[in-house]
Amino acid sequence: MRQLVRGAAFLGKVLVGTALAVAIFLAGTYFQVRGALPSYSGQLDLVGLKAPVEIMRDRNAVPHITAGSIEDASFALGYVHAQDRFWQMELMRRIGQGRLAELVPPTLVGSGLVDSDRTMRGLGVYRRASESVNALSPAMRTRLDSYAAGVNAWLADDDQQFGLELTLIKLLSGGRYRPEPWRPADSLVWAKLMALGLDGNWRAELLRLRLSQKIGEDGVKFLIEPAGDSKDSTLSMVQSAVKDIDLDRIFRGTDNEITRKRMASNEWVLSGAHAVSGRPLLANDPHLGFTFPGVWYLARLVGPGFDIRGATSPGSPAVVLGHNGTIGWGFTTTNLDSQDIFVERVDPTDPNRYITPDGARPFAVREETIKVAWGEAVTMRVRETRHGPVIDDFVRRSEGLTPQGHVLALQATALDGADTSAEGFARVGSAQNWEEFLAATRRIVSPMQNMVYADTSGNIGLISPARVPIRRKGDGSMPVPGWTSEYDWAGFVPFDELPRTYNPPAGLIVNANGRLVPDDYRHFISKDWAEPYRQRRAAQLLGEVPRHPVYGMIVMQADNMTLDAAEMLPWLLKGAPRNARAAQARDLLGRWNMFMLAGRPEPLIYDAWIAELQRGLLADELGEDLYNSLPVPNVPLMVRILRDKPGWCDDGGTKQTETCEDAIALALERALDWISRRNGSDMTKWQWGREHHAVHRHPLFDGVPLLRNIASVRYPADGGNQTLNRASPSFRGNRPFDAVHGAGYRGIYDFSDLENSRFATPLGQSGNMLSPWARNFVERWQNLAYINIGGTRGETARFAVGTITMTPTSSR
């Protein structure tokens, strides 16, 4: 999706330079966007409802939906999602459908849209989502139908204004564009896209294979694993099979926002023994990429037998994160390895067949046609094997990519057409105890989440549900041969053997994407655990006092200590400074308390130093292209290199032999040079927040100077890559330290009084850039001023910003 964003930004720049753009953006923008603001008050007669529904938006524009059934509540949720976030919903389903190029001419924005469409079509994401609808129970299908009917009720208004984004699309299409009706499969696409990003490691497998060709199997083991980790290797067989495949081109050709792995979130739950109130506390803040509008939308659904409050995702009828008056739940991603690449051997006598353990079998073949605005349609032939789609077929200009002999196929639980995950996540919101909670999670296929639990009876727990592959051989960290059954999946881990705990003796459960299970756990989950620093810091803070108040949970979510510095600084400060400037920087870091505060210079010096050091240690070993494919600075890896591989400290581009002390000193000089060019030479005036903005980019208008400040949100931010208050830089581009990934929602649930629970998002409810509810949470987020979602109808009505009454057409 990065290509999409770049292309969309370029589109905006082109349009601004034309008379049409001037007319749209200067004369029409304000009136169009203001005219598209939805009405939060009124009476509506609508088809699809069983009984009257009330939507009351509280003082923060959070809808409190009161309905006679969960189906009618879902109808109303679909309606308010469409009111406030339809552009976001349309973009999401178009990504999943592989239909972005229909919206914006690639002649203006480049090939990024077509490339994204090729990947989604090749993976068959929307096809699998459509199949998954039929795997759901009748009750869940009814709920999806009701949600879709609510979205379509809003779309059906002939006078409906869809906002500037879709108005622009309509103009570019010559007036032909109009949103299609919402379908149940559109809602399931969101779950598929999340699963592809949160679970699995198929592109990491490609990267490791590329690395192995450069530095060998032992080098890859060193890069990706701590010493002592056992591993089954199949590289010798695989390397021979893929020696003629252009892995670099496949890796780059499948690179988009959806296929990039994401791994971040925090959660902890305390039993009553550790809470001031004597009842459990549950805190959760999931981390995703920053965007405008944000990923999450707050809502409350109330009716007979249900009162569910928390974070929803526009496009889906479930309250994904929150509480229901009896239980509460939160998620972090497990980083399950549920995606494997199989190297398939093509039948040498027939290129339309491939080799299996039972003999040659024909590829399943389908043709995909990608419509292109202002251009010729693109056709692609997609093959599938018994393992899954052939990823070679996704890449543009595939000629010469894979010489006849072998292809790469992807097997992934996220692409299961019988996926019932959406139902599992929805049923969680109705559970009233641990047993019902477990029963709901049995339906979850992908993505695997570490789901913490607490209830008003004082119980706490964790379950990590999903279909976890059992591999006959290997651990999924590298591509494996597909022509033999030796490496096939042999089934899935039984539900009762998945990681779980219930009322642990310690009374505390903490996860921040770190290692979930001990080494003696009998099943393989992942090798891609996150670095331990956030998890370690949360446990440290929870252990500092015997009993915690609600506000203590807020303080923890905003904590800015970066514990990776405790491991890295002794190495950085080991040698003697080589000049006065280096001595001043080292003196600052030597006295630094390791808090990543926006107003301080130390975080900027530290992050710039370790970024330059990692480049110095690895770029000449790997080459620029491979180096740029690696994740952000990895402190455990750098410590291992400095300790165990000092030869990597030598710069192969110079005649002399550099030591690790030389590499560290040179990295500091480069870091200080970079900072000085941008911030002046007075180190005491440097500030992390000047280079570290939380950047919530609008996917279309962020590159347009006239619209950037009203379409996107930027503000100086505390935190960093390894703080509980996560604000991860990209370490790329001309502003490498801007935060692009972090918490998009924070929830704290107080089981002594769930009305005292707290909720926060960084932006606002509306996706309309001129709405008063688009950015109303920004200042509150920065000041840790969370909101409540609760109260009686009368209490909410006192400060409500509007009320919509919906009535079934047939009842009037």
Side-chain angles (χ1 to χ4, degrees):
M1 189 159 169
R2 183 178 297 173
Q3 294 168 315
L4 168 63
V5 172
R6 289 173 179 167
F10 176 71
L11 166 64
K13 291 177 182 178
V14 170
L15 291 175
V16 167
T18 67
L20 176 61
V22 171
I24 295 172
F25 292 129
L26 297 183
T29 295
Y30 179 83
F31 296 103
Q32 169 60 39
V33 178
R34 290 291 295 179
L37 294 179
S39 173
Y40 288 169
S41 298
Q43 293 185 338
L44 303 172
D45 293 341
L46 298 172
V47 174
L49 288 171
K50 298 177 183 177
V53 175
E54 180 183 78
I55 303 169
M56 182 181 295
R57 282 181 167 86
D58 65 20
R59 68 176 73 196
N60 297 301
V62 175
H64 295 234
I65 296 170
T66 304
S69 66
I70 193 66
E71 292 78 18
D72 278 356
S74 298
F75 179 103
L77 185 63
Y79 190 89
V80 299
H81 278 168
Q83 278 191 305
D84 287 326
R85 300 284 190 92
F86 186 74
W87 152 248
Q88 180 183 29
M89 294 164 64
E90 176 75 327
L91 180 64
M92 178 269 294
R93 71 166 166 175
R94 288 275 180 164
I95 290 173
Q97 290 172 337
R99 296 176 59 200
L100 288 172
E102 290 182 29
L103 293 181
V104 181
T107 51
L108 292 179
V109 302
S111 62
L113 304 188
V114 175
D115 290 345
S116 176
D117 287 351
R118 291 183 69 97
T119 301
M120 293 297 105
R121 296 289 189 91
L123 292 173
V125 172
Y126 195 76
R127 295 172 66 249
R128 299 307 187 197
S130 300
E131 293 169 4
S132 294
V133 173
N134 297 323
L136 304 175
S137 69
M140 188 63 198
R141 290 200 299 272
T142 298
R143 188 169 174 185
L144 287 172
D145 287 338
S146 296
Y147 179 87
V151 176
N152 292 331
W154 183 80
L155 291 175
D157 186 345
D158 290 337
D159 296 324
Q160 194 60 262
Q161 299 293 315
F162 297 113
L164 180 60
E165 296 88 354
L166 295 183
T167 297
L168 176 60
I169 297 300
K170 187 174 183 177
L171 286 170
L172 288 172
S173 69
R176 294 186 300 275
Y177 169 78
R178 182 171 177 85
E180 296 172 359
W182 195 264
R183 300 175 179 86
D186 299 340
S187 294
L188 298 191
V189 159
W190 179 78
K192 294 289 188 188
L193 296 179
M194 291 294 285
L196 284 170
L198 294 173
D199 262 8
N201 70 334
W202 68 276
R203 295 189 73 255
E205 290 184 27
L206 282 177
L207 176 58
R208 290 166 187 165
L209 197 54
R210 295 169 67 210
L211 287 167
S212 71
Q213 294 178 337
K214 181 74 174 181
I215 60 176
E217 181 177 356
D218 289 341
V220 174
K221 285 182 180 179
F222 182 81
L223 282 181
I224 68 174
E225 295 187 272
D229 232 304
S230 61
K231 174 179 175 179
D232 234 339
S233 172
T234 60
L235 269 182
S236 56
M237 190 184 307
V238 168
Q239 288 284 19
S240 174
V242 301
K243 60 181 171 38
D244 295 323
I245 297 179
D246 191 341
L247 296 173
D248 292 344
R249 190 140 58 98
I250 290 178
F251 188 84
R252 290 191 296 267
T254 57
D255 181 33
N256 59 65
E257 183 67 23
I258 301 304
T259 59
R260 294 184 199 125
K261 187 167 175 60
R262 312 164 193 146
M263 41 185 273
S265 294
N266 304 319
E267 65 184 8
W268 51 87
V269 58
L270 294 64
S271 72
H274 296 281
V276 170
S277 69
R279 289 289 177 178
L281 291 171
L282 190 157
N284 180 217
D285 53 295
H287 306 167
L288 293 168
F290 292 153
T291 62
F292 177 88
V295 172
W296 303 106
Y297 181 94
L298 302 176
R300 179 184 184 186
L301 310 182
V302 182
F306 63 91
D307 186 350
I308 316 172
R309 317 172 199 191
T312 69
S313 177
S316 171
V319 176
V320 182
L321 302 160
H323 75 78
N324 65 13
T326 302
I327 77 162
W329 61 96
F331 301 165
T332 63
T333 193
T334 315
N335 301 315
L336 171 67
D337 185 344
S338 65
Q339 302 173 359
D340 281 349
I341 291 179
F342 287 85
V343 183
E344 308 282 18
R345 180 175 289 168
V346 179
D347 184 346
T349 66
D350 184 353
N352 296 313
R353 300 168 71 87
Y354 66 102
I355 304 300
T356 79
D358 303 318
R361 184 184 301 183
F363 288 100
V365 180
R366 55 187 164 87
E367 300 291 332
E368 295 280 352
T369 301
I370 300 170
K371 296 180 181 179
V372 178
W374 296 5
E376 295 294 325
V378 174
T379 60
M380 57 184 288
R381 178 174 176 264
V382 181
R383 294 168 291 175
E384 291 202 18
T385 74
R386 65 194 183 96
H387 294 115
V390 173
I391 63 176
D392 316 43
D393 295 342
F394 309 173
V395 180
R396 185 166 43 97
R397 295 193 304 273
S398 59
E399 298 81 5
L401 182 71
T402 307
Q404 184 174 338
H406 296 87
V407 294
L408 306 179
L410 173 66
Q411 184 167 10
T413 59
L415 300 179
D416 188 345
D419 186 356
T420 55
S421 301
E423 181 160 0
F425 288 119
R427 286 188 179 185
V428 163
S430 301
Q432 296 297 303
N433 52 51
W434 177 247
E435 289 72 25
E436 292 180 7
F437 181 76
L438 289 181
T441 63
R442 282 181 180 272
R443 307 283 291 174
I444 294 173
V445 173
S446 180
M448 191 180 198
Q449 300 287 285
N450 307 313
M451 301 175 65
V452 288
Y453 165 97
D455 63 35
T456 53
S457 297
N459 303 299
I460 66 171
L462 174 145
I463 177 73
S464 299
R467 285 189 186 161
V468 177
I470 298 175
R471 296 169 173 88
R472 290 195 171 114
K473 185 177 180 180
D475 61 12
S477 62
M478 285 284 202
V480 292
W483 58 86
T484 170
S485 62
E486 189 177 3
Y487 299 92
D488 283 356
W489 294 0
F492 301 99
V493 173
F495 182 83
D496 291 336
E497 296 179 22
L498 293 171
R500 77 168 72 178
T501 185
Y502 183 60
N503 289 330
L508 296 172
I509 302 171
V510 179
N511 185 267
N513 313 112
R515 182 177 290 274
L516 176 67
V517 293
D519 288 340
D520 60 359
Y521 178 69
R522 63 175 295 194
H523 301 293
F524 175 73
I525 300 293
S526 177
K527 286 187 178 294
D528 295 326
W529 310 114
E531 291 91 340
Y533 307 115
R534 287 180 292 116
Q535 197 154 305
R536 189 180 299 165
R537 178 60 174 164
Q540 181 185 88
L541 291 172
L542 289 171
E544 286 183 350
V545 296
R547 290 180 178 269
H548 295 266
V550 170
Y551 191 73
M553 304 296 94
I554 294 176
V555 171
M556 282 184 62
Q557 288 181 335
D559 183 76
N560 291 300
M561 177 176 276
T562 186
L563 283 185
D564 61 303
E567 291 188 15
M568 196 72 231
L569 283 174
W571 290 94
L572 297 180
L573 304 178
K574 190 175 181 180
R578 301 191 175 184
N579 55 53
R581 186 176 68 162
Q584 183 182 7
R586 290 161 56 90
D587 181 61
L588 281 170
L589 290 186
R591 293 181 286 109
W592 182 37
N593 61 9
M594 298 188 296
F595 280 82
M596 304 286 285
L597 301 179
R600 297 296 306 172
E602 296 92 345
L604 178 57
I605 298 170
Y606 174 72
D607 258 27
W609 195 350
I610 63 173
E612 289 291 348
L613 179 59
Q614 179 159 299
R615 174 173 290 280
L617 294 176
L618 294 176
D620 66 328
E621 297 285 340
L622 304 180
E624 197 69 21
D625 186 47
L626 268 176
Y627 174 77
N628 287 330
S629 300
L630 293 178
V632 297
N634 184 320
V635 166
L637 172 61
M638 284 189 277
V639 169
R640 291 205 308 277
I641 292 173
L642 295 172
R643 184 187 62 221
D644 302 331
K645 294 279 188 180
W648 288 23
C649 294
D650 179 40
D651 184 352
T654 65
K655 293 181 179 180
Q656 64 268 29
T657 300
E658 289 85 7
T659 66
C660 288
E661 187 176 316
D662 294 329
I664 291 169
L666 179 59
L668 177 58
E669 286 304 305
R670 288 173 173 168
L672 297 179
D673 285 345
W674 185 90
I675 300 171
S676 297
R677 285 195 300 270
R678 298 169 64 94
N679 295 273
S681 59
D682 188 345
M683 206 174 293
T684 63
K685 293 183 180 180
W686 294 352
Q687 292 186 5
W688 176 230
R690 290 177 184 165
E691 297 290 351
H692 185 249
H693 286 184
V695 181
H696 303 263
R697 288 189 175 91
H698 189 286
L700 185 60
F701 298 138
D702 187 71
V704 182
L706 293 172
L707 292 178
R708 180 183 295 120
N709 291 337
I710 62 171
S712 300
V713 177
R714 289 172 166 81
Y715 51 83
D718 296 326
N721 190 46
Q722 299 295 345
T723 57
L724 288 177
N725 176 27
R726 195 163 198 193
S728 300
S730 67
F731 295 96
R732 300 285 188 268
N734 62 352
R735 286 192 59 89
F737 301 113
D738 273 347
V740 297
H741 185 275
Y745 167 77
R746 291 173 178 158
I748 298 168
Y749 317 132
D750 177 3
F751 289 86
S752 69
D753 176 12
L754 282 169
E755 293 292 323
N756 189 41
S757 297
R758 313 294 175 85
F759 305 84
T761 61
L763 300 180
Q765 293 286 90
S766 178
N768 188 307
M769 64 185 73
L770 291 187
S771 169
W773 311 112
R775 296 171 178 77
N776 58 300
F777 288 146
V778 172
E779 185 174 347
R780 298 178 66 95
W781 179 267
Q782 293 175 289
N783 294 327
L784 308 182
Y786 293 31
I787 69 169
N788 296 96
I789 303 175
T792 65
R793 181 188 180 282
E795 291 168 341
T796 303
R798 286 180 59 196
F799 301 102
V801 299
T803 301
I804 295 173
T805 301
M806 295 178 166
T807 306
T809 298
S810 59
S811 70
R812 297 194 61 174

mmCIF file of all heavy atoms in Angstrom, residues 736-749:
data_model
loop_
_atom_site.group_PDB
_atom_site.id
_atom_site.type_symbol
_atom_site.label_atom_id
_atom_site.label_comp_id
_atom_site.label_asym_id
_atom_site.label_seq_id
_atom_site.Cartn_x
_atom_site.Cartn_y
_atom_site.Cartn_z
ATOM 1 N N PRO A 736 13.274 10.104 8.805
ATOM 2 C CA PRO A 736 13.318 8.698 9.202
ATOM 3 C C PRO A 736 12.798 8.418 10.601
ATOM 4 O O PRO A 736 12.487 7.264 10.921
ATOM 5 C CB PRO A 736 14.807 8.357 9.103
ATOM 6 C CG PRO A 736 15.512 9.666 9.270
ATOM 7 C CD PRO A 736 14.620 10.672 8.615
ATOM 8 N N PHE A 737 12.700 9.452 11.440
ATOM 9 C CA PHE A 737 12.312 9.204 12.830
ATOM 10 C C PHE A 737 10.854 9.554 13.118
ATOM 11 O O PHE A 737 10.400 9.433 14.261
ATOM 12 C CB PHE A 737 13.245 9.954 13.779
ATOM 13 C CG PHE A 737 14.677 9.547 13.607
ATOM 14 C CD1 PHE A 737 15.609 10.437 13.100
ATOM 15 C CD2 PHE A 737 15.086 8.261 13.906
ATOM 16 C CE1 PHE A 737 16.931 10.054 12.914
ATOM 17 C CE2 PHE A 737 16.395 7.861 13.721
ATOM 18 C CZ PHE A 737 17.327 8.756 13.215
ATOM 19 N N ASP A 738 10.113 9.986 12.107
ATOM 20 C CA ASP A 738 8.688 10.194 12.319
ATOM 21 C C ASP A 738 8.023 8.874 12.687
ATOM 22 O O ASP A 738 8.310 7.814 12.114
ATOM 23 C CB ASP A 738 8.033 10.759 11.058
ATOM 24 C CG ASP A 738 8.102 12.269 11.005
ATOM 25 O OD1 ASP A 738 8.424 12.899 12.027
ATOM 26 O OD2 ASP A 738 7.830 12.834 9.923
ATOM 27 N N ALA A 739 7.108 8.932 13.644
ATOM 28 C CA ALA A 739 6.403 7.729 14.093
ATOM 29 C C ALA A 739 5.297 7.390 13.114
ATOM 30 O O ALA A 739 4.455 8.235 12.794
ATOM 31 C CB ALA A 739 5.814 7.947 15.483
ATOM 32 N N VAL A 740 5.298 6.147 12.648
ATOM 33 C CA VAL A 740 4.304 5.707 11.667
ATOM 34 C C VAL A 740 3.503 4.513 12.176
ATOM 35 O O VAL A 740 2.615 4.024 11.483
ATOM 36 C CB VAL A 740 4.987 5.343 10.328
ATOM 37 C CG1 VAL A 740 5.652 6.574 9.723
ATOM 38 C CG2 VAL A 740 6.010 4.223 10.509
ATOM 39 N N HIS A 741 3.804 4.045 13.386
ATOM 40 C CA HIS A 741 3.186 2.826 13.898
ATOM 41 C C HIS A 741 3.096 2.928 15.414
ATOM 42 O O HIS A 741 4.040 3.333 16.078
ATOM 43 C CB HIS A 741 4.062 1.630 13.499
ATOM 44 C CG HIS A 741 3.499 0.289 13.849
ATOM 45 N ND1 HIS A 741 3.663 -0.282 15.081
ATOM 46 C CD2 HIS A 741 2.778 -0.597 13.118
ATOM 47 C CE1 HIS A 741 3.082 -1.473 15.104
ATOM 48 N NE2 HIS A 741 2.535 -1.679 13.929
ATOM 49 N N GLY A 742 1.936 2.601 15.959
ATOM 50 C CA GLY A 742 1.770 2.650 17.406
ATOM 51 C C GLY A 742 0.330 2.421 17.795
ATOM 52 O O GLY A 742 -0.484 1.926 17.015
ATOM 53 N N ALA A 743 0.009 2.797 19.017
ATOM 54 C CA ALA A 743 -1.335 2.556 19.547
ATOM 55 C C ALA A 743 -2.361 3.398 18.800
ATOM 56 O O ALA A 743 -2.196 4.602 18.637
ATOM 57 C CB ALA A 743 -1.380 2.876 21.035
ATOM 58 N N GLY A 744 -3.434 2.739 18.362
ATOM 59 C CA GLY A 744 -4.553 3.447 17.756
ATOM 60 C C GLY A 744 -5.795 3.386 18.629
ATOM 61 O O GLY A 744 -6.829 3.960 18.299
ATOM 62 N N TYR A 745 -5.669 2.670 19.741
ATOM 63 C CA TYR A 745 -6.770 2.525 20.696
ATOM 64 C C TYR A 745 -6.161 2.143 22.036
ATOM 65 O O TYR A 745 -5.173 1.391 22.099
ATOM 66 C CB TYR A 745 -7.728 1.435 20.237
ATOM 67 C CG TYR A 745 -8.737 0.975 21.290
ATOM 68 C CD1 TYR A 745 -9.850 1.757 21.594
ATOM 69 C CD2 TYR A 745 -8.563 -0.235 21.962
ATOM 70 C CE1 TYR A 745 -10.763 1.328 22.553
ATOM 71 C CE2 TYR A 745 -9.482 -0.663 22.904
ATOM 72 C CZ TYR A 745 -10.583 0.120 23.196
ATOM 73 O OH TYR A 745 -11.486 -0.296 24.149
ATOM 74 N N ARG A 746 -6.746 2.663 23.089
ATOM 75 C CA ARG A 746 -6.377 2.253 24.441
ATOM 76 C C ARG A 746 -7.644 2.030 25.245
ATOM 77 O O ARG A 746 -8.550 2.867 25.220
ATOM 78 C CB ARG A 746 -5.495 3.299 25.122
ATOM 79 C CG ARG A 746 -4.100 3.419 24.521
ATOM 80 C CD ARG A 746 -3.314 4.574 25.117
ATOM 81 N NE ARG A 746 -1.961 4.634 24.566
ATOM 82 C CZ ARG A 746 -1.216 5.725 24.556
ATOM 83 N NH1 ARG A 746 -1.674 6.861 25.061
ATOM 84 N NH2 ARG A 746 0.004 5.685 24.042
ATOM 85 N N GLY A 747 -7.697 0.902 25.907
ATOM 86 C CA GLY A 747 -8.838 0.593 26.751
ATOM 87 C C GLY A 747 -8.378 0.110 28.109
ATOM 88 O O GLY A 747 -7.390 -0.624 28.218
ATOM 89 N N ILE A 748 -9.067 0.539 29.144
ATOM 90 C CA ILE A 748 -8.808 0.076 30.513
ATOM 91 C C ILE A 748 -10.153 -0.234 31.143
ATOM 92 O O ILE A 748 -11.027 0.648 31.233
ATOM 93 C CB ILE A 748 -8.065 1.146 31.333
ATOM 94 C CG1 ILE A 748 -6.696 1.428 30.700
ATOM 95 C CG2 ILE A 748 -7.904 0.704 32.785
ATOM 96 C CD1 ILE A 748 -6.013 2.645 31.253
ATOM 97 N N TYR A 749 -10.332 -1.470 31.575
ATOM 98 C CA TYR A 749 -11.630 -1.930 32.058
ATOM 99 C C TYR A 749 -11.517 -2.259 33.542
ATOM 100 O O TYR A 749 -10.697 -3.086 33.957
ATOM 101 C CB TYR A 749 -12.101 -3.148 31.256
ATOM 102 C CG TYR A 749 -11.860 -2.984 29.764
ATOM 103 C CD1 TYR A 749 -11.263 -3.991 29.006
ATOM 104 C CD2 TYR A 749 -12.188 -1.787 29.104
ATOM 105 C CE1 TYR A 749 -11.023 -3.829 27.652
ATOM 106 C CE2 TYR A 749 -11.938 -1.612 27.765
ATOM 107 C CZ TYR A 749 -11.352 -2.631 27.031
ATOM 108 O OH TYR A 749 -11.100 -2.451 25.689
#
